[in-house]
């Protein structure tokens, strides 16, 4: 595993090997932090703090989970801490979700795979609760398992599944609203 090699090199004093971690994980770390914080500058700062924390904790990495899971957990907690410092909270239960059938949910999932819809999905993801967008990002874009998401977020497996379900419903509803609005504007 290349991460193990990098860790050994860094611990042996080769600080340049750390740039390999940055190159490999900075984009996804930024996406996770941005989903939580909703602000580019704050997300960038959280990612920098996360890399610093990762560097300082490298000797303590046990290998009990994938390195990416371990690091994304650091990013998650760093961003959550930054969010708390902002006194910014979101109550996801206040967001109403319409009843959507399983076929409609499957249709929304198929849209995620369609590259032509990337911009639409990105805009819709910005409008749903940040914790749901984070879980959808981890599950679909990073292809993390439910267990890995549990390790990253500290949520229970059933809570992850419920929030993924809610996230898909909210994402589908946003996409529906945006496409409906675009159709009306075209008329």
């Amino acid at each position: 595993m290349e991460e193990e090699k990098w860790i050994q090199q860094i611990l042996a004093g080769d600080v340049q090997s750390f740039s390999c971690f940055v190159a490999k994980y900075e984009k996804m770390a930024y996406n996770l932090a941005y989903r939580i914080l909703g602000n580019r500058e704050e997300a960038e700062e959280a990612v920098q703090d996360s890399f610093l924390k990762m560097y300082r904790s490298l000797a303590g990495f046990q290998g009990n989970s994938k390195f990416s899971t371990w690091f994304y957990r650091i990013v998650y907690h760093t961003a959550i801490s930054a969010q708390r410092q902002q006194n910014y909270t979101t109550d996801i239960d206040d967001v109403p979700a319409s009843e959507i059938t399983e076929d409609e949910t499957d249709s929304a999932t198929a849209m995620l795979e369609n590259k032509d819809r990337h911009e639409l999905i990105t805009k819709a993801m910005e409008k749903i609760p940040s914790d749901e967008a984070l879980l959808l990002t981890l599950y679909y874009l990073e292809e993390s398992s439910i267990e890995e998401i549990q390790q990253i977020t500290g949520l229970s497996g059933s809570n992850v599944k419920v929030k993924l379900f809610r996230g898909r419903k909210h994402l589908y509803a946003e996409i529906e609203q945006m496409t409906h609005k675009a159709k009306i504007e075209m008329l």
Side-chain angles (χ1 to χ4, degrees):
M1 185 168 162
E2 62 187 358
E3 283 98 352
E4 291 174 9
K5 183 177 98 177
W6 297 339
I7 292 170
Q8 294 308 317
Q9 290 172 334
I10 293 167
L11 294 176
D14 179 14
V15 182
Q16 290 298 101
S17 294
F18 190 73
S19 63
C20 299
F21 282 121
V22 174
K24 185 169 184 175
Y25 293 110
E26 73 179 328
K27 184 176 179 183
M28 190 59 196
Y30 172 80
N31 286 336
L32 293 177
Y34 183 80
R35 294 280 178 236
I36 294 168
L37 296 166
N39 178 294
R40 185 179 62 82
E41 292 84 14
E42 291 170 7
E44 288 172 353
E45 187 174 325
V47 169
Q48 289 175 355
D49 291 346
S50 298
F51 275 114
L52 184 60
K53 288 177 184 178
M54 184 248 284
Y55 181 79
R56 291 179 178 161
S57 304
L58 221 61
F61 176 63
Q62 301 289 319
N64 297 335
S65 63
K66 289 185 353 185
F67 182 84
S68 60
T69 301
W70 180 76
F71 177 59
Y72 294 149
R73 184 173 175 87
I74 292 172
V75 175
Y76 175 80
H77 287 289
T78 302
I80 292 293
S81 293
Q83 183 184 46
R84 284 186 187 129
Q85 289 176 355
Q86 299 172 344
N87 292 327
Y88 173 76
T89 58
T90 302
D91 187 1
I92 64 167
D93 294 327
D94 289 346
V95 179
S98 61
E99 291 301 317
I100 299 174
T101 67
E102 190 172 85
D103 290 340
E104 290 170 326
T105 302
D106 291 342
S107 174
T109 302
M111 280 190 210
L112 282 173
E113 297 170 357
N114 185 346
K115 289 184 181 183
D116 295 335
R117 305 267 186 209
H118 179 72
E119 184 177 325
L120 176 68
I121 292 169
T122 300
K123 288 180 182 177
M125 290 280 277
E126 291 173 358
K127 293 184 178 188
I128 67 174
S130 61
D131 61 336
E132 292 173 4
L134 169 73
L135 295 179
L136 290 172
T137 300
L138 284 169
Y139 190 75
Y140 289 106
L141 300 179
E142 185 60 20
E143 298 180 357
S144 297
S145 68
I146 299 293
E147 293 78 23
E148 291 170 331
I149 295 172
Q150 281 179 259
Q151 291 176 1
I152 292 168
T153 62
L155 298 171
S156 69
S158 59
N159 201 354
V160 169
K161 290 176 186 176
V162 167
K163 288 186 177 202
L164 280 171
F165 178 75
R166 281 187 191 160
R168 286 189 291 263
K169 285 173 60 174
H170 289 142
L171 181 64
Y172 180 78
E174 282 298 330
I175 290 171
E176 276 292 306
Q177 184 178 6
M178 292 168 75
T179 55
H180 179 72
K181 186 176 178 181
K183 287 177 189 175
I184 290 173
E185 289 174 357
M186 288 173 53
L187 298 175

